[in-house]
Amino acid sequence: MRQGIVVLCALGALVFPIAATAGLGAHESALLGEMNRVRAVHGLVALRSDAHLQQAAVAHSREMLASNTFAHGAFSSRMLQYNVSFAVAGENLAWGTGPLASAHAIVAAWLASPEHRANLLRPSFRRVGVGDLAGTFQGHSGARIVTADFAG
């Protein structure tokens, strides 16, 4: 059985000033579906895709993949750059390989981490952007790099 890796990073809620809807790729749709499945189990409303958050999340995943770094970076500046309006916002990051790069495994890992769980299950978060890209990352081919940007 092929083993994989999953690495996580969370940025808690930030308070600021709200946005639309965007198209998602197959992996991003799977992640959104899994996040909403978990939120439903906890009695929370489903997250809806937001075009501005989506652009910000994809750009950040692309930047991490290109620079071979795993960090939140200038989150507030990125939100401003992509015209994201919000009262509260947060970000979950993950990267993984093999079976640990699946939507189910990523969301399960977020749930196991207090900071990631808090973002995923925050009732005030209603919108999300999901950037899920594949490539070689930190020496691992076929890695998936995930950014989930939340806002409410």
Side-chain angles (χ1 to χ4, degrees), residues 11-12 44-45 50 52 58 71 88 100 104 106 119 127 131 136 141 143 146:
L11 178 67
L44 299 169
V45 300
D50 176 280
H52 296 279
V58 169
V88 62
L100 295 178
H104 178 77
I106 297 248
N119 278 343
R127 298 172 294 125
T136 298
S141 62
V146 176

Side-chain angles (χ1 to χ4, degrees), residues 19-24 32 48-55 127-128:
T21 321
L24 302 175
L32 179 57
R48 66 179 170 85
S49 178
D50 176 280
H52 296 279
L53 287 165
Q54 183 66 23
Q55 291 173 342
R127 298 172 294 125
V128 69

Side-chain angles (χ1 to χ4, degrees), residues 2-7 64-66 68-70 94-101 133-145:
R2 184 172 175 221
Q3 295 296 315
I5 1 180
V6 67
V7 180
M64 288 192 297
L65 190 58
N68 207 34
T69 59
F70 186 70
W95 77 270
T97 62
L100 295 178
L133 301 176
T136 298
F137 188 71
Q138 297 190 359
H140 301 275
S141 62
R144 300 212 69 88
I145 312 305

Side-chain angles (χ1 to χ4, degrees), residues 42-82:
H42 288 86
L44 299 169
V45 300
L47 297 165
R48 66 179 170 85
S49 178
D50 176 280
H52 296 279
L53 287 165
Q54 183 66 23
Q55 291 173 342
V58 169
H60 190 59
S61 288
R62 185 177 295 122
E63 172 59 29
M64 288 192 297
L65 190 58
S67 65
N68 207 34
T69 59
F70 186 70
H72 292 285
F75 177 76
S76 296
S77 296
R78 187 167 6 104
M79 295 299 103
L80 291 172
Q81 177 183 355
Y82 288 94

